[in-house]
Amino acid sequence: DADVTQTPRNRITKTGKRIMLECSQTKGHDRMYWYRQDPGLGLRLIYYSFDVKDINKGEISDGYSVSRQAQAKFSLSLESAIPNQTALYFCATSDVKTGSQETQYFGPGTRLLVL
Amino acid sequence: GESVGLHLPTLSVQEGDNSIINCAYSNSASDYFIWYKQESGKGPQFIIDIRSNMDKRQGQRVTVLLNKTVKHLSLQIAATQPGDSAVYFCAENIGRGSTLGRLYFGRGTQLTVWP
């Protein structure tokens, strides 16, 4: 079973619609992240959370919001989707308790198309 | 802002040859570096990491070299196999602790292995 799962894996939506991407992890990690990936670019950080009560903006948080419902769940919302939010979205986790605390483990990604 | 980049966007090698993928970083405060492999349709997968107090680290068929003087990181893959074909990302971590520990990713290098 995958340690980091994302749902949905693929989604097509229309401009102006609200959409939520979900991430769950069974690794028991405290830290969770949301990234987007565009063709030819590396991953860019949208939001991150170091524990359930901690939410931080990343490089490109405008147009996005997040919710950390539990240690294992971190959701990303697009309140009013626009076409330039078409991208591949990844969730990641890391564990501050271990020696390799900065190592992040990624989910399989959600491919989002905004028409 | 910080810059993590790659010298070559694509690299083609013949099966059995060694591959070298390079990465430049600009922030001298970076203290931890990771190489990720991303296969088509999948999330980034951890390959190997190195801390700034080291200049070389070896894994199974992979070696990471760190030259802090010129802020350069490389990933060497020995006896490259078709299954190594993927996009490879370097990432740098700047700081650690309760408020830091974020990764910054390069744009990636596409490695293609020819039979």
Side-chain angles (χ1 to χ4, degrees), chain B residues 22-65:
Chain B
N22 296 303
C23 180
Y25 65 95
S26 60
N27 196 318
S28 57
S30 297
D31 61 357
Y32 180 67
F33 304 86
I34 307 175
W35 281 100
Y36 284 92
K37 173 186 180 182
Q38 186 178 20
E39 297 175 276
S40 181
K42 297 183 179 180
Q45 179 185 9
F46 172 87
I47 302 174
I48 192 168
D49 58 2
I50 189 168
R51 297 197 179 276
S52 59
N53 61 353
M54 304 171 68
D55 53 20
K56 180 179 180 179
R57 191 168 188 215
Q58 289 184 292
Q60 187 176 17
R61 283 200 307 117
V62 294
T63 300
V64 55
L65 300 177

Side-chain angles (χ1 to χ4, degrees), chain B residues 6-13 20-22 86-88 107-114:
Chain B
L6 293 166
H7 294 312
L8 295 173
T10 61
L11 177 64
S12 296
V13 299
I20 299 176
I21 301 172
N22 296 303
V87 177
Y88 290 80
R107 288 177 295 163
T109 291
Q110 172 69 58
L111 174 65
T112 302
V113 182
W114 301 97

Side-chain angles (χ1 to χ4, degrees), chain A residues 31 37 42 50 90 99 103-104, chain B residues 32 36 38 51 97-98 100 106:
Chain A
R31 300 183 177 189
Q37 184 178 37
F50 282 177
F90 287 103
T103 302
Q104 294 182 16
Chain B
Y32 180 67
Y36 284 92
Q38 186 178 20
R51 297 197 179 276
S98 61
L100 298 173

Side-chain angles (χ1 to χ4, degrees), chain A residues 9 31 33 35 37 40-43 45 48 50 57-59 88 90 96 99-109 111, chain B residues 31-32 34 36 38 41-46 49 51 87 89 93 95-108:
Chain A
R9 293 295 314 279
R31 300 183 177 189
Y33 310 78
Y35 292 89
Q37 184 178 37
L41 298 177
L43 287 84
L45 184 63
Y48 60 105
F50 282 177
K57 292 183 177 181
E59 305 167 59
L88 191 55
F90 287 103
V96 69
S100 297
Q101 62 203 55
E102 298 93 347
T103 302
Q104 294 182 16
Y105 299 90
F106 286 82
R111 191 170 296 278
Chain B
D31 61 357
Y32 180 67
I34 307 175
Y36 284 92
Q38 186 178 20
K42 297 183 179 180
Q45 179 185 9
F46 172 87
D49 58 2
R51 297 197 179 276
V87 177
F89 293 96
N93 175 268
R96 63 184 66 192
S98 61
T99 58
L100 298 173
R102 289 170 47 181
L103 290 180
Y104 295 86
F105 287 82
R107 288 177 295 163

